[in-house]
Amino acid sequence: MAASTLLSASDAAHLLRRVGFGGSAAEVNALIGKTRQQAVDQVTNLAGAPGVTRPFSGTDDWWIGHQLAHGWWLDRMATTSTPFQDKMTMFWHSHFATGIGKVE
């Protein structure tokens, strides 16, 4: 296999930006030297994905509930070990979401 088919630091950083929200130096370094297929398999592996539980108590005020859910999701995206899952969730949410008035 030619060296040009293996990920460089620039390639690894680009991949992490595309499938998630960027990566730390350690995450970039962990992908350097892997084939493109190995790297994609690694960053799209959801085996260790955290479960989803409602992190706050219910409220009768829909706006407060919306704000709490929004803050929880932003924190989850910033701290998850599987950013690909949350980035895809955000993509599909933006694709299918409707106005709050239509939810009722």
Side-chain angles (χ1 to χ4, degrees):
M1 181 174 292
S4 63
T5 61
L6 301 178
L7 260 61
S8 66
S10 176
D11 293 333
H14 177 76
L15 176 62
L16 290 169
R17 285 190 304 273
R18 297 299 293 174
V19 301
F21 304 97
S24 66
E27 291 168 326
V28 170
N29 289 335
L31 296 176
I32 295 173
K34 293 187 183 288
T35 66
R36 294 179 189 281
Q37 186 64 52
Q38 289 170 326
V40 168
D41 288 346
Q42 181 174 327
V43 299
T44 59
N45 181 354
L46 301 180
V52 177
T53 57
R54 188 176 176 134
F56 49 86
S57 61
T59 176
D60 291 335
D61 186 322
W62 72 268
W63 181 248
I64 292 173
H66 172 78
Q67 293 297 94
L68 290 170
H70 183 79
W72 170 81
W73 193 18
L74 288 174
D75 181 64
R76 178 184 164 97
M77 286 190 295
T79 60
T80 186
S81 60
T82 54
F84 176 67
Q85 179 183 36
D86 286 279
K87 191 157 189 181
M88 291 308 300
T89 300
M90 185 171 63
F91 170 80
W92 287 114
H93 175 271
S94 295
H95 184 77
F96 290 116
T98 61
I100 191 70
K102 296 177 183 179
V103 173
E104 296 177 21

